[in-house]
PDB file of all heavy atoms in Angstrom:
ATOM      1  N   LEU L1425     108.112  88.274 104.623  1.00  0.00           N
ATOM      2  CA  LEU L1425     107.324  89.033 103.649  1.00  0.00           C
ATOM      3  C   LEU L1425     105.971  88.373 103.431  1.00  0.00           C
ATOM      4  O   LEU L1425     104.936  89.055 103.376  1.00  0.00           O
ATOM      5  CB  LEU L1425     108.087  89.138 102.329  1.00  0.00           C
ATOM      6  CG  LEU L1425     107.391  89.920 101.213  1.00  0.00           C
ATOM      7  CD1 LEU L1425     107.191  91.379 101.621  1.00  0.00           C
ATOM      8  CD2 LEU L1425     108.191  89.836  99.912  1.00  0.00           C
ATOM      9  N   ALA L1426     105.964  87.042 103.325  1.00  0.00           N
ATOM     10  CA  ALA L1426     104.709  86.322 103.122  1.00  0.00           C
ATOM     11  C   ALA L1426     103.754  86.553 104.287  1.00  0.00           C
ATOM     12  O   ALA L1426     102.558  86.803 104.091  1.00  0.00           O
ATOM     13  CB  ALA L1426     104.983  84.827 102.950  1.00  0.00           C
ATOM     14  N   SER L1427     104.267  86.482 105.496  1.00  0.00           N
ATOM     15  CA  SER L1427     103.413  86.627 106.674  1.00  0.00           C
ATOM     16  C   SER L1427     102.775  88.004 106.741  1.00  0.00           C
ATOM     17  O   SER L1427     101.697  88.156 107.332  1.00  0.00           O
ATOM     18  CB  SER L1427     104.221  86.365 107.952  1.00  0.00           C
ATOM     19  OG  SER L1427     103.385  86.368 109.086  1.00  0.00           O
ATOM     20  N   ALA L1428     103.412  88.996 106.135  1.00  0.00           N
ATOM     21  CA  ALA L1428     102.913  90.370 106.180  1.00  0.00           C
ATOM     22  C   ALA L1428     102.213  90.799 104.888  1.00  0.00           C
ATOM     23  O   ALA L1428     101.937  91.989 104.705  1.00  0.00           O
ATOM     24  CB  ALA L1428     104.066  91.326 106.480  1.00  0.00           C
ATOM     25  N   SER L1429     101.908  89.848 104.002  1.00  0.00           N
ATOM     26  CA  SER L1429     101.334  90.180 102.693  1.00  0.00           C
ATOM     27  C   SER L1429      99.817  90.068 102.725  1.00  0.00           C
ATOM     28  O   SER L1429      99.239  89.018 102.419  1.00  0.00           O
ATOM     29  CB  SER L1429     101.927  89.260 101.615  1.00  0.00           C
ATOM     30  OG  SER L1429     103.298  89.547 101.426  1.00  0.00           O
ATOM     31  N   PHE L1430      99.173  91.179 103.096  1.00  0.00           N
ATOM     32  CA  PHE L1430      97.711  91.228 103.186  1.00  0.00           C
ATOM     33  C   PHE L1430      97.114  90.936 101.819  1.00  0.00           C
ATOM     34  O   PHE L1430      97.404  91.635 100.848  1.00  0.00           O
ATOM     35  CB  PHE L1430      97.266  92.606 103.675  1.00  0.00           C
ATOM     36  CG  PHE L1430      95.830  92.687 104.067  1.00  0.00           C
ATOM     37  CD1 PHE L1430      95.429  92.393 105.363  1.00  0.00           C
ATOM     38  CD2 PHE L1430      94.855  93.044 103.140  1.00  0.00           C
ATOM     39  CE1 PHE L1430      94.086  92.474 105.733  1.00  0.00           C
ATOM     40  CE2 PHE L1430      93.522  93.121 103.496  1.00  0.00           C
ATOM     41  CZ  PHE L1430      93.138  92.822 104.801  1.00  0.00           C
ATOM     42  N   PRO L1431      96.270  89.885 101.690  1.00  0.00           N
ATOM     43  CA  PRO L1431      95.813  89.455 100.368  1.00  0.00           C
ATOM     44  C   PRO L1431      95.034  90.520  99.615  1.00  0.00           C
ATOM     45  O   PRO L1431      94.352  91.352 100.203  1.00  0.00           O
ATOM     46  CB  PRO L1431      94.942  88.229 100.680  1.00  0.00           C
ATOM     47  CG  PRO L1431      94.591  88.346 102.128  1.00  0.00           C
ATOM     48  CD  PRO L1431      95.718  89.061 102.778  1.00  0.00           C
ATOM     49  N   ILE L1432      95.181  90.484  98.322  1.00  0.00           N
ATOM     50  CA  ILE L1432      94.620  91.404  97.335  1.00  0.00           C
ATOM     51  C   ILE L1432      95.376  92.735  97.335  1.00  0.00           C
ATOM     52  O   ILE L1432      95.766  93.229  96.282  1.00  0.00           O
ATOM     53  CB  ILE L1432      93.105  91.654  97.519  1.00  0.00           C
ATOM     54  CG1 ILE L1432      92.334  90.340  97.425  1.00  0.00           C
ATOM     55  CG2 ILE L1432      92.585  92.634  96.468  1.00  0.00           C
ATOM     56  CD1 ILE L1432      90.833  90.488  97.599  1.00  0.00           C
ATOM     57  N   VAL L1433      95.610  93.307  98.505  1.00  0.00           N
ATOM     58  CA  VAL L1433      96.374  94.552  98.543  1.00  0.00           C
ATOM     59  C   VAL L1433      97.846  94.287  98.230  1.00  0.00           C
ATOM     60  O   VAL L1433      98.457  94.979  97.413  1.00  0.00           O
ATOM     61  CB  VAL L1433      96.230  95.236  99.915  1.00  0.00           C
ATOM     62  CG1 VAL L1433      97.037  96.533  99.940  1.00  0.00           C
ATOM     63  CG2 VAL L1433      94.770  95.535 100.209  1.00  0.00           C
ATOM     64  N   PHE L1434      98.445  93.280  98.870  1.00  0.00           N
ATOM     65  CA  PHE L1434      99.841  92.917  98.649  1.00  0.00           C
ATOM     66  C   PHE L1434      99.912  91.566  97.937  1.00  0.00           C
ATOM     67  O   PHE L1434      99.072  90.685  98.186  1.00  0.00           O
ATOM     68  CB  PHE L1434     100.598  92.820  99.974  1.00  0.00           C
ATOM     69  CG  PHE L1434     100.688  94.118 100.748  1.00  0.00           C
ATOM     70  CD1 PHE L1434     100.963  94.110 102.099  1.00  0.00           C
ATOM     71  CD2 PHE L1434     100.511  95.343 100.121  1.00  0.00           C
ATOM     72  CE1 PHE L1434     101.054  95.289 102.826  1.00  0.00           C
ATOM     73  CE2 PHE L1434     100.597  96.532 100.833  1.00  0.00           C
ATOM     74  CZ  PHE L1434     100.870  96.505 102.190  1.00  0.00           C
ATOM     75  N   PRO L1435     100.911  91.365  97.085  1.00  0.00           N
ATOM     76  CA  PRO L1435     100.990  90.106  96.337  1.00  0.00           C
ATOM     77  C   PRO L1435     101.397  88.935  97.227  1.00  0.00           C
ATOM     78  O   PRO L1435     102.108  89.117  98.217  1.00  0.00           O
ATOM     79  CB  PRO L1435     102.068  90.391  95.280  1.00  0.00           C
ATOM     80  CG  PRO L1435     102.902  91.485  95.856  1.00  0.00           C
ATOM     81  CD  PRO L1435     101.960  92.321  96.673  1.00  0.00           C
ATOM     82  N   PRO L1436     100.934  87.728  96.885  1.00  0.00           N
ATOM     83  CA  PRO L1436     101.382  86.546  97.617  1.00  0.00           C
ATOM     84  C   PRO L1436     102.855  86.282  97.342  1.00  0.00           C
ATOM     85  O   PRO L1436     103.434  86.801  96.385  1.00  0.00           O
ATOM     86  CB  PRO L1436     100.494  85.429  97.061  1.00  0.00           C
ATOM     87  CG  PRO L1436     100.094  85.901  95.707  1.00  0.00           C
ATOM     88  CD  PRO L1436     100.014  87.392  95.790  1.00  0.00           C
ATOM     89  N   VAL L1437     103.447  85.469  98.187  1.00  0.00           N
ATOM     90  CA  VAL L1437     104.857  85.091  98.048  1.00  0.00           C
ATOM     91  C   VAL L1437     104.916  83.596  97.764  1.00  0.00           C
ATOM     92  O   VAL L1437     104.296  82.799  98.477  1.00  0.00           O
ATOM     93  CB  VAL L1437     105.648  85.430  99.326  1.00  0.00           C
ATOM     94  CG1 VAL L1437     107.100  84.957  99.212  1.00  0.00           C
ATOM     95  CG2 VAL L1437     105.598  86.928  99.593  1.00  0.00           C
ATOM     96  N   GLU L1438     105.634  83.226  96.731  1.00  0.00           N
ATOM     97  CA  GLU L1438     105.751  81.812  96.373  1.00  0.00           C
ATOM     98  C   GLU L1438     106.997  81.209  97.010  1.00  0.00           C
ATOM     99  O   GLU L1438     108.102  81.741  96.869  1.00  0.00           O
ATOM    100  CB  GLU L1438     105.792  81.631  94.857  1.00  0.00           C
ATOM    101  CG  GLU L1438     105.811  80.168  94.432  1.00  0.00           C
ATOM    102  CD  GLU L1438     105.523  79.973  92.954  1.00  0.00           C
ATOM    103  OE1 GLU L1438     104.931  80.885  92.324  1.00  0.00           O
ATOM    104  OE2 GLU L1438     105.890  78.906  92.432  1.00  0.00           O
ATOM    105  N   ILE L1439     106.810  80.100  97.718  1.00  0.00           N
ATOM    106  CA  ILE L1439     107.908  79.368  98.344  1.00  0.00           C
ATOM    107  C   ILE L1439     107.725  77.900  98.006  1.00  0.00           C
ATOM    108  O   ILE L1439     106.692  77.301  98.337  1.00  0.00           O
ATOM    109  CB  ILE L1439     107.920  79.561  99.877  1.00  0.00           C
ATOM    110  CG1 ILE L1439     108.051  81.049 100.241  1.00  0.00           C
ATOM    111  CG2 ILE L1439     109.053  78.759 100.504  1.00  0.00           C
ATOM    112  CD1 ILE L1439     107.920  81.327 101.730  1.00  0.00           C
ATOM    113  N   ASP L1440     108.695  77.312  97.322  1.00  0.00           N
ATOM    114  CA  ASP L1440     108.654  75.893  96.947  1.00  0.00           C
ATOM    115  C   ASP L1440     107.371  75.542  96.199  1.00  0.00           C
ATOM    116  O   ASP L1440     106.785  74.471  96.387  1.00  0.00           O
ATOM    117  CB  ASP L1440     108.790  75.001  98.181  1.00  0.00           C
ATOM    118  CG  ASP L1440     110.186  75.052  98.789  1.00  0.00           C
ATOM    119  OD1 ASP L1440     111.126  75.404  98.058  1.00  0.00           O
ATOM    120  OD2 ASP L1440     110.322  74.749  99.984  1.00  0.00           O
ATOM    121  N   GLY L1441     106.909  76.456  95.346  1.00  0.00           N
ATOM    122  CA  GLY L1441     105.731  76.184  94.540  1.00  0.00           C
ATOM    123  C   GLY L1441     104.417  76.425  95.243  1.00  0.00           C
ATOM    124  O   GLY L1441     103.347  76.288  94.644  1.00  0.00           O
ATOM    125  N   HIS L1442     104.435  76.802  96.532  1.00  0.00           N
ATOM    126  CA  HIS L1442     103.231  77.119  97.292  1.00  0.00           C
ATOM    127  C   HIS L1442     103.054  78.635  97.357  1.00  0.00           C
ATOM    128  O   HIS L1442     104.034  79.375  97.445  1.00  0.00           O
ATOM    129  CB  HIS L1442     103.330  76.585  98.723  1.00  0.00           C
ATOM    130  CG  HIS L1442     103.519  75.106  98.818  1.00  0.00           C
ATOM    131  ND1 HIS L1442     102.483  74.202  98.752  1.00  0.00           N
ATOM    132  CD2 HIS L1442     104.648  74.360  98.984  1.00  0.00           C
ATOM    133  CE1 HIS L1442     102.950  72.970  98.882  1.00  0.00           C
ATOM    134  NE2 HIS L1442     104.266  73.042  99.016  1.00  0.00           N
ATOM    135  N   LEU L1443     101.804  79.089  97.344  1.00  0.00           N
ATOM    136  CA  LEU L1443     101.524  80.515  97.484  1.00  0.00           C
ATOM    137  C   LEU L1443     101.127  80.824  98.924  1.00  0.00           C
ATOM    138  O   LEU L1443     100.247  80.170  99.493  1.00  0.00           O
ATOM    139  CB  LEU L1443     100.397  80.953  96.544  1.00  0.00           C
ATOM    140  CG  LEU L1443     100.752  81.205  95.077  1.00  0.00           C
ATOM    141  CD1 LEU L1443      99.564  81.813  94.346  1.00  0.00           C
ATOM    142  CD2 LEU L1443     101.977  82.098  94.940  1.00  0.00           C
ATOM    143  N   PHE L1444     101.779  81.857  99.478  1.00  0.00           N
ATOM    144  CA  PHE L1444     101.529  82.257 100.863  1.00  0.00           C
ATOM    145  C   PHE L1444     101.100  83.706 100.931  1.00  0.00           C
ATOM    146  O   PHE L1444     101.609  84.562 100.200  1.00  0.00           O
ATOM    147  CB  PHE L1444     102.795  82.066 101.713  1.00  0.00           C
ATOM    148  CG  PHE L1444     103.201  80.628 101.882  1.00  0.00           C
ATOM    149  CD1 PHE L1444     104.099  80.042 100.999  1.00  0.00           C
ATOM    150  CD2 PHE L1444     102.680  79.858 102.911  1.00  0.00           C
ATOM    151  CE1 PHE L1444     104.473  78.722 101.140  1.00  0.00           C
ATOM    152  CE2 PHE L1444     103.048  78.535 103.062  1.00  0.00           C
ATOM    153  CZ  PHE L1444     103.945  77.963 102.177  1.00  0.00           C
ATOM    154  N   VAL L1445     100.161  83.973 101.857  1.00  0.00           N
ATOM    155  CA  VAL L1445      99.745  85.344 102.151  1.00  0.00           C
ATOM    156  C   VAL L1445      99.800  85.548 103.660  1.00  0.00           C
ATOM    157  O   VAL L1445     100.231  84.670 104.414  1.00  0.00           O
ATOM    158  CB  VAL L1445      98.327  85.640 101.613  1.00  0.00           C
ATOM    159  CG1 VAL L1445      98.279  85.492 100.108  1.00  0.00           C
ATOM    160  CG2 VAL L1445      97.281  84.748 102.283  1.00  0.00           C
ATOM    161  N   ASP L1446      99.339  86.702 104.063  1.00  0.00           N
ATOM    162  CA  ASP L1446      99.346  87.133 105.461  1.00  0.00           C
ATOM    163  C   ASP L1446      98.867  86.018 106.396  1.00  0.00           C
ATOM    164  O   ASP L1446      97.801  85.431 106.206  1.00  0.00           O
ATOM    165  CB  ASP L1446      98.420  88.341 105.590  1.00  0.00           C
ATOM    166  CG  ASP L1446      98.650  89.137 106.852  1.00  0.00           C
ATOM    167  OD1 ASP L1446      98.699  88.532 107.940  1.00  0.00           O
ATOM    168  OD2 ASP L1446      98.767  90.374 106.744  1.00  0.00           O
ATOM    169  N   GLY L1447      99.665  85.753 107.426  1.00  0.00           N
ATOM    170  CA  GLY L1447      99.283  84.729 108.389  1.00  0.00           C
ATOM    171  C   GLY L1447      97.973  85.025 109.075  1.00  0.00           C
ATOM    172  O   GLY L1447      97.233  84.105 109.473  1.00  0.00           O
ATOM    173  N   ALA L1448      97.639  86.315 109.208  1.00  0.00           N
ATOM    174  CA  ALA L1448      96.401  86.703 109.885  1.00  0.00           C
ATOM    175  C   ALA L1448      95.159  86.375 109.073  1.00  0.00           C
ATOM    176  O   ALA L1448      94.042  86.476 109.587  1.00  0.00           O
ATOM    177  CB  ALA L1448      96.430  88.194 110.217  1.00  0.00           C
ATOM    178  N   ALA L1449      95.324  85.968 107.802  1.00  0.00           N
ATOM    179  CA  ALA L1449      94.159  85.593 107.008  1.00  0.00           C
ATOM    180  C   ALA L1449      93.442  84.390 107.619  1.00  0.00           C
ATOM    181  O   ALA L1449      92.235  84.222 107.447  1.00  0.00           O
ATOM    182  CB  ALA L1449      94.582  85.277 105.567  1.00  0.00           C
ATOM    183  N   ARG L1450      94.176  83.538 108.357  1.00  0.00           N
ATOM    184  CA  ARG L1450      93.561  82.386 109.025  1.00  0.00           C
ATOM    185  C   ARG L1450      93.708  82.429 110.537  1.00  0.00           C
ATOM    186  O   ARG L1450      92.837  81.981 111.263  1.00  0.00           O
ATOM    187  CB  ARG L1450      94.150  81.066 108.514  1.00  0.00           C
ATOM    188  CG  ARG L1450      93.719  80.687 107.131  1.00  0.00           C
ATOM    189  CD  ARG L1450      93.913  79.196 106.850  1.00  0.00           C
ATOM    190  NE  ARG L1450      92.808  78.388 107.351  1.00  0.00           N
ATOM    191  CZ  ARG L1450      92.904  77.546 108.358  1.00  0.00           C
ATOM    192  NH1 ARG L1450      94.040  77.411 109.012  1.00  0.00           N
ATOM    193  NH2 ARG L1450      91.864  76.822 108.740  1.00  0.00           N
ATOM    194  N   SER L1451      94.838  82.936 111.015  1.00  0.00           N
ATOM    195  CA  SER L1451      95.061  82.957 112.460  1.00  0.00           C
ATOM    196  C   SER L1451      95.913  84.161 112.810  1.00  0.00           C
ATOM    197  O   SER L1451      97.068  84.260 112.376  1.00  0.00           O
ATOM    198  CB  SER L1451      95.761  81.672 112.921  1.00  0.00           C
ATOM    199  OG  SER L1451      95.995  81.695 114.310  1.00  0.00           O
ATOM    200  N   ASN L1452      95.339  85.068 113.598  1.00  0.00           N
ATOM    201  CA  ASN L1452      96.025  86.315 113.924  1.00  0.00           C
ATOM    202  C   ASN L1452      97.035  86.163 115.052  1.00  0.00           C
ATOM    203  O   ASN L1452      97.742  87.107 115.391  1.00  0.00           O
ATOM    204  CB  ASN L1452      94.984  87.381 114.317  1.00  0.00           C
ATOM    205  CG  ASN L1452      95.438  88.776 113.931  1.00  0.00           C
ATOM    206  OD1 ASN L1452      96.498  88.963 113.355  1.00  0.00           O
ATOM    207  ND2 ASN L1452      94.637  89.763 114.260  1.00  0.00           N
ATOM    208  N   VAL L1453      97.099  84.962 115.625  1.00  0.00           N
ATOM    209  CA  VAL L1453      98.012  84.705 116.733  1.00  0.00           C
ATOM    210  C   VAL L1453      98.621  83.320 116.555  1.00  0.00           C
ATOM    211  O   VAL L1453      97.917  82.372 116.182  1.00  0.00           O
ATOM    212  CB  VAL L1453      97.284  84.769 118.098  1.00  0.00           C
ATOM    213  CG1 VAL L1453      98.182  84.292 119.228  1.00  0.00           C
ATOM    214  CG2 VAL L1453      96.801  86.188 118.381  1.00  0.00           C
ATOM    215  N   VAL L1454      99.909  83.203 116.810  1.00  0.00           N
ATOM    216  CA  VAL L1454     100.581  81.906 116.833  1.00  0.00           C
ATOM    217  C   VAL L1454     101.303  81.773 118.168  1.00  0.00           C
ATOM    218  O   VAL L1454     102.110  82.625 118.533  1.00  0.00           O
ATOM    219  CB  VAL L1454     101.600  81.765 115.683  1.00  0.00           C
ATOM    220  CG1 VAL L1454     102.523  80.578 115.926  1.00  0.00           C
ATOM    221  CG2 VAL L1454     100.876  81.591 114.358  1.00  0.00           C
ATOM    222  N   VAL L1455     100.965  80.722 118.905  1.00  0.00           N
ATOM    223  CA  VAL L1455     101.678  80.393 120.135  1.00  0.00           C
ATOM    224  C   VAL L1455     102.259  79.004 119.964  1.00  0.00           C
ATOM    225  O   VAL L1455     101.524  78.013 119.907  1.00  0.00           O
ATOM    226  CB  VAL L1455     100.764  80.444 121.378  1.00  0.00           C
ATOM    227  CG1 VAL L1455     101.565  80.116 122.631  1.00  0.00           C
ATOM    228  CG2 VAL L1455     100.127  81.819 121.514  1.00  0.00           C
ATOM    229  N   VAL L1456     103.558  78.923 119.827  1.00  0.00           N
ATOM    230  CA  VAL L1456     104.222  77.643 119.604  1.00  0.00           C
ATOM    231  C   VAL L1456     104.320  76.889 120.925  1.00  0.00           C
ATOM    232  O   VAL L1456     104.544  77.477 121.980  1.00  0.00           O
ATOM    233  CB  VAL L1456     105.633  77.875 119.023  1.00  0.00           C
ATOM    234  CG1 VAL L1456     106.322  76.547 118.732  1.00  0.00           C
ATOM    235  CG2 VAL L1456     105.540  78.702 117.752  1.00  0.00           C
ATOM    236  N   GLY L1457     104.127  75.576 120.861  1.00  0.00           N
ATOM    237  CA  GLY L1457     104.315  74.761 122.054  1.00  0.00           C
ATOM    238  C   GLY L1457     103.049  74.221 122.649  1.00  0.00           C
ATOM    239  O   GLY L1457     103.059  73.610 123.714  1.00  0.00           O
TER     240      GLY L1457
END
C-alpha cells in the first residue's frame, strides 16, 4: 500500500514510526542485486 500511495492524493502509510509514500516519488524502478 505504501509503495502505491501517490503523495498528496493518497495518504502516507506509517510503518514502525516512519512515513512512507509511493516508491516512484524517488525512484520509479528498483532492480535488486
Side-chain angles (χ1 to χ4, degrees):
L1425 181 63
S1427 186
S1429 292
F1430 192 89
I1432 301 180
V1433 180
F1434 297 160
V1437 177
E1438 184 166 339
I1439 301 174
D1440 290 337
H1442 301 277
L1443 280 188
F1444 293 92
V1445 299
D1446 198 311
R1450 287 200 83 249
S1451 179
N1452 212 1
V1453 171
V1454 166
V1455 181
V1456 182

